[in-house]
């Protein structure tokens, strides 16, 4: 799949470039440059100065690039704010997502049982983006602080529309933005929304979304996902094939707990909104669980003088969500979960776990995972100007850094930069019993 996605990515790149080339006026410019260059070369060739001139030019180039590089390195120690320009200059466009050494993340952090991959390609995601941007612009809740931003709204819409479920269940609705996203993906399909406070309550204060084709387990009817009698509810909703149901969790509960509850009820298709990286977040996530030494980019060092510690302390200067080794590690060099703790329920409850428990959790998760797909960020940070998540800990973006024309063509440049700040590695998983 990696090779497939990479090749698709290159394919999409070339196609897009071809398209841009078609519309660009640069053809004549190139010809003009070539003729000037040819004239200069002809002059030096005629006068016999060609070789010394080339050698001098190369020497000047090497000296200049050396001074530019060392100037950027010196700047790093004096950076005190999240300065976008410095960030881009220090990491360079190519280095934004790949300069994290051993900490870089592989495409699939969690291993699935048989290595199954998603059907969609980067090209599908790009097409989806083009379609989704105008839809997103009509959202009823313009400022969804504490809820989903653009990246995850797109991810949820894309996955839902691709899977075309017979029923959608969401746990954690807040003002109803995610309910609205599900509705955009499937205009006529029933939704079940589980959330302690009914979204209609927010209508009194401002924008909210209440869906007309939705069963709400909210307010006085609220029951936690894990306590619902799902066989009765499914019968009531006329659903017999649970593989046709999509569950969306945005309730900040331990994802290990939710995985076990969903499996027990017989559900197979799940999306987790906040798939927090190790050392961050208010609940134990799949990403944290699968972060193990045997995974490329997984497992961590608490040694203060390690390469990892050095890289982390630099990255922390640039990205708000990046954590340095001091934050990452709790007592006894416990780096897993959040400082050795398994958090749950918005961190209202948490408990310390040993490394061996953490390791067992990952073995369990891998034994029931049929598929694990992390949504990439929609676009690179030099395009979105997001300053929160560290791109080194995220998959390569759908629209890569430097591709401003594509970013613009997809309509992404019309959106407020703040809508790109909420990315936390949303993940789509398929699960089934160990035996299958
Ligand atoms: C981050 S917000 C959800 C944001 C929403 N999905 C959106 O995109 O705007 C988390 C929500 O989970 C709700 N919540 C808290 N405990 C919950 C539980 N046990 N089950 C379901 N929802 C819960 C909170 O009340 C809150 O509305």
């Amino acid at each position: 799949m990696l090779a497939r996605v990479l090749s698709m990515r290159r394919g999409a790149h070339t196609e897009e470039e071809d398209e841009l080339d078609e519309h660009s006026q640069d053809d004549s410019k190139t010809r003009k440059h070539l003729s000037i260059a040819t004239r200069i070369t002809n002059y030096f060739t005629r006068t016999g100065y060609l070789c010394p001139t080339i050698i001098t030019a190369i020497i000047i180039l090497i000296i200049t690039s050396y001074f530019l590089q060392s100037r950027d390195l010196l700047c790093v120690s004096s950076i005190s704010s999240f300065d976008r320009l410095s960030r881009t200059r220090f990491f360079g466009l190519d280095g934004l997502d790949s300069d994290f050494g051993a900490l870089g993340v592989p495409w699939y952090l969690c291993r699935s049982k048989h290595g199954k991959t998603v059907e969609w390609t980067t090209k599908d995601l790009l097409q989806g983006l083009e379609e989704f941007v105008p839809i997103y612009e009509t959202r009823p809740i313009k400022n969804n602080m504490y809820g989903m931003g653009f990246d995850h709204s797109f991810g949820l819409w894309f996955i839902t529309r691709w899977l075309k479920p017979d029923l959608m269940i969401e746990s954690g609705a807040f003002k109803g933005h995610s309910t609205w996203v599900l509705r955009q993906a499937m205009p006529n399909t029933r939704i079940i929304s589980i959330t302690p406070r009914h979204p209609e309550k927010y209508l009194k204060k401002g924008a909210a979304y209440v869906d007309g084709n939705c069963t709400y387990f909210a307010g006085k009817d609220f029951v936690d996902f894990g306590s619902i009698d799902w066989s009765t509810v499914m019968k009531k909703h006329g659903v017999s094939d649970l593989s046709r149901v999509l569950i969306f969790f945005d309730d900040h509960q331990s994802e290990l707990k939710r995985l076990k509850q969903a499996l027990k009820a017989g559900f197979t298709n799940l999306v987790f909104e906040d798939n927090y990286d190790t050392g961050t977040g208010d609940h134990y996530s799949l990403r944290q669980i699968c972060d193990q030494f045997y995974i490329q980019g997984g497992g961590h060092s608490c040694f203060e003088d390690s390469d990892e510690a050095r890289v982390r302390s630099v990255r922390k200067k640039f990205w708000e969500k990046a954590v340095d080794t001091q934050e990452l590690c709790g007592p006894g060099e416990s780096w897993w979960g959040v400082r050795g703790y398994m958090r749950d329920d918005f961190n209202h409850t948490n408990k310390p776990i040993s490394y061996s428990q953490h390791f067992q959790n990952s073995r369990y998760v891998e034994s029931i995972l049929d598929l694990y797909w992390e949504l990439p960020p929609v676009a690179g940070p030099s395009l979105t100007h997001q300053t929160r998540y560290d791109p080194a800990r995220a998959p390569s973006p759908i629209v890569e850094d430097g591709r401003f024309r594509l970013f613009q063509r997809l309509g992404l440049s019309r959106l407020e930069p703040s809508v790109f700040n909420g990315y936390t590695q949303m993940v789509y998983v398929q699960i089934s019993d160990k035996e299958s």
Side-chain angles (χ1 to χ4, degrees):
M1 178 66 184
L2 174 58
R4 188 169 154 228
V5 173
L6 284 174
S7 66
M8 277 316 303
R9 193 168 280 242
R10 282 188 201 110
H13 198 122
T14 315
E15 237 178 63
E16 177 61 23
E17 274 168 1
D18 288 345
E19 202 186 315
L20 290 176
D21 284 347
E22 245 173 57
H23 296 108
S24 86
Q25 303 292 311
D26 288 351
D27 213 5
S28 58
K29 241 193 244 168
T30 318
R31 269 204 298 272
K32 205 168 158 190
H33 282 148
L34 268 179
S35 63
I36 290 169
T38 313
R39 261 181 272 157
I40 292 169
T41 313
N42 287 346
Y43 170 77
F44 281 122
T45 312
R46 274 203 310 272
T47 53
Y49 290 132
L50 187 60
C51 256
T53 310
I54 289 173
I55 289 165
T56 315
I58 289 171
I59 290 169
I60 291 170
L61 209 73
I62 290 169
I63 293 171
T64 319
S65 72
Y66 171 79
F67 277 112
L68 280 178
Q69 255 186 7
S70 38
R71 198 187 56 175
D72 277 355
L73 284 169
L74 284 173
C75 283
V76 171
S77 56
S78 61
I79 286 164
S80 55
S81 65
F82 293 97
D83 173 44
R84 180 162 46 84
L85 252 179
S86 320
R87 186 183 297 113
T88 314
R89 261 180 47 216
F90 177 69
F91 292 106
L93 286 180
D94 292 338
L96 276 167
D97 66 348
S98 60
D99 199 11
F100 217 18
L103 295 182
V105 286
W107 280 84
Y108 299 99
L109 194 72
C110 288
R111 300 192 302 197
S112 58
K113 276 183 270 183
H114 308 293
K116 187 177 164 187
T117 54
V118 291
E119 290 168 356
W120 52 83
T121 62
T122 301
K123 198 174 170 192
D124 297 319
L125 290 166
L126 283 167
Q127 270 169 7
L129 272 175
E130 192 160 20
E131 211 178 310
F132 183 67
V133 172
I135 297 174
Y136 184 74
E137 286 176 308
T138 69
R139 67 199 181 280
I141 306 162
K142 296 287 184 239
N143 177 0
N144 195 32
M145 203 196 277
Y146 310 119
M148 288 197 300
F150 181 80
D151 296 71
H152 289 184
S153 300
F154 168 68
L156 181 61
W157 174 85
F158 181 89
I159 294 164
T160 308
R161 211 179 56 129
W162 191 282
L163 298 176
K164 302 206 181 329
D166 292 343
L167 178 72
M168 303 171 280
I169 301 175
E170 72 170 334
S171 184
F174 189 34
K175 296 183 199 166
H177 173 76
S178 45
T179 324
W180 177 83
V181 170
L182 291 169
R183 178 55 66 224
Q184 303 315 300
M186 297 297 291
N188 302 310
T189 303
R190 190 81 182 161
I191 298 174
I192 294 178
S193 183
I194 308 158
T195 199
R197 191 175 154 92
H198 200 296
E200 70 188 4
K201 296 276 179 203
Y202 295 96
L203 276 173
K204 289 177 198 151
K205 286 191 193 154
Y209 176 78
V210 179
D211 193 83
N213 188 14
C214 176
T215 307
Y216 282 98
F217 285 89
K220 62 176 175 29
D221 296 326
F222 171 74
V223 186
D224 184 78
F225 178 89
S227 305
I228 292 177
D229 175 357
W230 283 111
S231 65
T232 306
V233 174
M234 288 302 101
K235 251 181 234 150
K236 256 191 200 161
H237 285 80
V239 174
S240 52
D241 182 358
L242 295 187
S243 72
R244 304 282 313 135
V245 177
L246 178 65
I247 321 243
F248 170 59
F249 289 110
D250 189 6
D251 54 12
H252 293 247
Q253 306 296 304
S254 155
E255 292 175 11
L256 183 62
K257 176 174 88 182
R258 288 303 191 214
L259 214 57
K260 287 176 180 172
Q261 292 168 345
L263 188 73
K264 191 169 162 217
F267 296 118
T268 59
N269 289 289
L270 323 175
V271 172
F272 289 97
E273 204 260 347
D274 286 304
N275 187 19
Y276 291 120
D277 200 7
T278 296
T280 69
D282 55 15
H283 61 271
Y284 198 39
S285 68
L286 291 184
R287 216 177 214 244
Q288 291 176 6
I289 295 166
C290 296
D291 193 345
Q292 301 287 343
F293 285 113
Y294 60 84
I295 296 286
Q296 183 206 335
H300 300 288
S301 158
C302 290
F303 183 45
E304 272 177 24
D305 230 2
S306 63
D307 283 348
E308 175 168 348
R310 272 187 289 278
V311 177
R312 279 188 180 280
S313 79
V314 171
R315 308 232 29 133
K316 196 175 155 47
K317 293 189 171 97
F318 294 96
W319 311 103
E320 289 160 55
K321 291 270 211 169
V323 289
D324 62 19
T325 299
Q326 265 193 326
E327 283 172 280
L328 182 80
C329 297
E333 307 202 337
S334 49
W335 55 260
W336 50 92
V338 179
R339 299 166 68 82
Y341 276 75
M342 182 165 74
R343 291 182 168 180
D344 191 11
D345 192 15
F346 294 84
N347 196 27
H348 290 138
T349 63
N350 57 56
K351 64 172 192 181
I353 51 167
S354 67
Y355 179 70
S356 89
Q357 279 171 305
H358 175 66
F359 179 75
Q360 287 309 319
N361 290 340
S362 82
R363 301 310 298 220
Y364 168 74
V365 167
E366 287 178 357
S367 75
I368 61 164
L369 266 189
D370 287 318
L371 183 127
Y372 177 93
W373 182 76
E374 275 184 14
L375 170 80
V378 294
S382 71
L383 299 168
T384 60
H385 302 162
Q386 77 82 20
T387 54
R388 273 157 70 84
Y389 73 86
D390 184 344
R393 296 292 291 169
S396 300
I398 301 169
V399 181
E400 286 167 355
D401 281 297
R403 313 227 35 219
F404 183 70
R405 296 276 296 272
L406 178 58
F407 185 75
Q408 204 172 29
R409 192 175 67 74
L410 294 171
L412 291 164
S413 57
R414 294 199 300 267
L415 304 176
E416 277 281 301
S418 62
V419 302
F420 298 108
N421 258 341
Y423 176 79
T424 46
Q425 299 92 224
M426 173 184 269
V427 65
Y428 164 55
V429 296
Q430 283 176 9
I431 53 168
S432 64
D433 273 331
K434 289 182 190 182
E435 298 78 48
S436 58

